[in-house]
Amino acid sequence: MIMAASSEQIWKPYYPCDYYKQEYSDCTTVGHRFHSYYVYGEKPECGQWKKDYEACTAWMKTKSEEAKQELLKVEDRHLQQKYYVNPVWPRRVTPPKDWYLPVEEMRQKQKLQQQS
């Protein structure tokens, strides 16, 4: 599925409606539910995938502005979950001070700091 983004929107991936249907199907399997309960201590919420599929099919059938906005909200939510929520690595606000130095110079600098 390809939708034209307005000038204020950033590029977002758009998937065929079958993608949302498959995600819902995968989410409701016994194996996925067991894995989610084992890892997170709770069952996964699969209803949102079904709503996402319905929003996608509504967009494909009617091409209405409401359906388009709903699908854009879906993709925003997916991007937030996929790319912006990372419990392991903190997001940088600014680049490192010496980001422009070649790797070898940085290693030498680190060795000198460790020796002192």
Side-chain angles (χ1 to χ4, degrees), residues 51-114:
K51 291 177 187 175
D52 297 348
Y53 173 70
E54 291 167 354
C56 185
T57 54
W59 161 252
M60 294 304 287
K61 287 179 184 176
T62 64
K63 303 289 187 199
S64 73
E65 189 62 31
E66 290 175 12
K68 179 181 175 182
Q69 293 305 319
E70 182 62 30
L71 199 52
L72 288 173
K73 287 179 190 175
V74 165
E75 288 307 321
D76 281 338
R77 188 180 67 253
H78 287 280
L79 281 174
Q80 290 292 327
Q81 290 172 349
K82 187 182 261 186
Y83 297 113
Y84 299 118
V85 177
N86 187 340
V88 178
W89 302 105
R91 279 193 152 316
R92 286 188 193 153
V93 178
T94 59
K97 295 175 190 171
D98 50 1
W99 65 269
Y100 55 88
L101 292 176
V103 174
E104 195 56 42
E105 287 181 32
M106 287 183 64
R107 287 184 184 154
Q108 292 295 333
K109 187 177 176 182
Q110 288 175 348
K111 284 181 184 179
L112 289 173
Q113 287 176 351
Q114 289 175 353

